[in-house]
Amino acid sequence: MARERIAGIDWLRAFACLSVVWVHSISRGLVTYDLPEASVQIAQILQIAFIFATPMFVMMSEYILSYSYPDRIPNGFWKKRIMYILIPFFTIPFVYATYYGLIGTFTWEAISSRAFDYILYARWHGYFILIIFQFYVLHFIFNRIHKYLNPYFMISLSIMITMGYNLFFKNFSSPGGNWDLIWNHYGIIFFPGWLAFFTVAYFTGRYAGSIKSFLKKAGPGFILLTIIALLYCIYNVMNGIGSISSRRNDVLIYTILLFMSVLSVSVYINKIPFLIRVISKYSFAIYLLHMLLLHFYARYLPYDVSFTVFTLSAFAFGVTSSILISWLLKWIPGSQFLIGQIKR
């Protein structure tokens, strides 16, 4: 029996999706414009404020899974996710490689080499798909043993594991050789680096109904702690501590607190605005397509505009054009293997 849909799911998905596009719009602006140091720092502060985007996106995925399937695997679960989530990981890179081939070297060798580089080394923003599939496996392992798991202990332990994992890769250099692949590419997607996000999403999704009263009481506290965590992240950026990345331990705590804050607010939400529903519906396709469209926008923008105008307009273009292209593609048979399954 299907469980009642939680309005917060759509808000979380839309929030994470828009944040992803916003962070990458700022990054594209920083590549396009030669800014003074003070302006670069302001841009980095804006980035760190929204750098939770990818972790929040994968947390949302597990939250939905844990809420919807707390006990058993539904029929066709793996088939659908392999067809409509995993296959795009292998197909979209050829779209990106073809685009870069059109503006560079347009040969099959160059296009295939770039595409396979994206796929084999997870050298593109779709690496989150591989993280989600690890979450699927962890989800069904946890489902088998959840009776023996204390949520508070597991969340605390997983946070320590993820923080230790991040510190290890931050403080130790690659031994060289094939180890470079792990340090520079695969290390980003291995599940220990995302375990904290998984456990928080798993237990909040599984016990979504029973923790509503807790979220209402603890909501103001989560919001206050989130603000403090954000200020700490901004302080670190202003002092040049670490790069702008979601693999920072300060961002880890900030993201988890923000996730809980959004959940605590969502318990009061019953209606979902049309725009939020649309962004939620197309979120996966937006995530897959927006980077290409941001590059296209920066390359062919016919006007000279300021960095601020560029970033805001690139963000709007990235979101709206991704939705429009996805809407057109969804009517073409087989497009679900490129941008995922979107209801017509």
Side-chain angles (χ1 to χ4, degrees):
M1 181 176 175
R3 302 180 76 181
E4 178 187 359
R5 184 173 181 81
I6 296 178
I9 288 175
D10 291 292
W11 282 95
L12 273 172
R13 186 165 19 214
F15 185 45
C17 176
L18 292 176
S19 299
V20 168
V21 182
W22 175 243
V23 168
H24 289 155
S25 297
I26 296 174
S27 297
R28 178 52 55 185
L30 290 172
V31 171
T32 306
Y33 289 79
D34 185 16
L35 299 176
E37 185 176 345
S39 298
V40 171
Q41 189 170 69
I42 293 173
Q44 290 177 335
I45 290 173
L46 286 173
Q47 281 187 305
I48 204 68
F50 291 89
I51 201 67
F52 62 81
T54 297
M56 181 78 78
F57 200 82
V58 296
M59 287 182 79
M60 175 274 304
S61 176
E62 172 54 32
Y63 178 83
I64 295 173
L65 182 65
S66 185
Y67 175 75
S68 303
Y69 310 119
D71 298 312
R72 65 183 186 86
I73 304 176
N75 294 331
F77 176 87
W78 287 107
K79 179 181 178 181
K80 289 181 179 179
R81 279 151 184 81
I82 289 172
M83 291 176 65
Y84 307 134
I85 297 179
L86 185 60
I87 287 181
F89 176 82
F90 298 98
T91 55
I92 282 290
F94 283 93
V95 175
Y96 277 77
T98 300
Y99 166 75
Y100 289 119
L102 288 171
I103 62 176
T105 304
F106 191 72
T107 64
W108 168 246
E109 290 76 13
I111 292 173
S112 60
S113 176
R114 184 186 290 270
F116 285 120
D117 184 66
Y118 289 157
I119 295 169
L120 293 176
Y121 305 124
R123 205 195 296 264
W124 70 292
H125 61 285
Y127 69 87
F128 78 95
I129 294 174
L130 302 182
I131 297 168
I132 288 175
F133 266 79
Q134 292 178 88
F135 278 16
Y136 291 159
V137 175
L138 286 172
H139 173 84
F140 294 116
I141 291 175
F142 270 50
N143 268 2
R144 288 182 174 274
I145 61 175
H146 76 91
K147 294 180 181 179
Y148 310 103
L149 302 178
N150 181 291
Y152 300 105
F153 173 78
M154 291 304 301
I155 289 173
S156 300
L157 178 62
S158 66
I159 289 175
M160 290 189 289
I161 290 173
T162 299
M163 293 182 76
Y165 184 88
N166 291 339
L167 286 173
F168 177 81
F169 278 92
K170 176 183 177 182
N171 295 317
F172 292 92
S173 301
S174 168
N178 292 332
W179 285 102
D180 287 342
L181 292 176
I182 295 179
W183 254 256
N184 300 325
H185 302 292
Y186 300 142
I188 296 174
I189 62 175
F190 287 161
F191 78 89
W194 299 84
L195 187 60
F197 302 120
F198 168 82
T199 54
V200 172
Y202 174 83
F203 287 112
T204 53
R206 184 177 186 87
Y207 302 112
S210 58
I211 65 172
K212 277 188 176 181
S213 59
F214 165 75
L215 289 173
K216 288 181 178 181
K217 294 178 181 178
F222 279 127
I223 294 172
L224 177 61
L225 289 173
T226 300
I227 294 172
I228 294 172
L230 173 59
L231 292 174
Y232 181 61
C233 290
I234 292 174
Y235 170 82
N236 288 336
V237 169
M238 293 180 67
N239 286 277
I241 301 175
S243 58
I244 305 298
S245 167
S246 58
R247 298 183 68 200
R248 298 166 53 123
N249 285 337
D250 54 355
V251 171
L252 166 69
I253 300 302
Y254 167 51
T255 301
I256 291 174
L257 289 172
L258 181 61
F259 179 80
M260 297 303 298
S261 295
V262 174
L263 284 184
S264 67
V265 172
S266 71
V267 298
Y268 296 99
I269 299 173
N270 294 318
K271 295 183 179 180
I272 308 168
F274 174 76
L275 182 60
I276 296 298
R277 289 202 306 269
V278 171
I279 294 172
S280 176
K281 178 180 178 180
Y282 288 91
S283 60
F284 185 62
I286 293 172
Y287 206 126
L288 294 178
L289 296 174
H290 76 277
M291 287 289 277
L292 184 150
L293 294 167
L294 290 178
H295 186 279
F296 177 87
Y297 184 78
R299 183 178 177 84
Y300 296 106
L301 181 66
Y303 307 106
D304 290 328
V305 297
S306 67
F307 171 81
T308 301
V309 172
F310 170 85
T311 303
L312 292 171
S313 59
F315 168 74
F317 179 81
V319 174
T320 56
S321 58
S322 294
I323 293 174
L324 177 59
I325 291 172
S326 303
W327 182 84
L328 293 172
L329 286 175
K330 75 178 182 179
W331 303 101
I332 301 175
S335 63
Q336 66 269 30
F337 303 121
L338 191 67
I339 58 171
Q341 190 175 40
I342 300 173
K343 292 182 180 179
R344 298 182 180 180

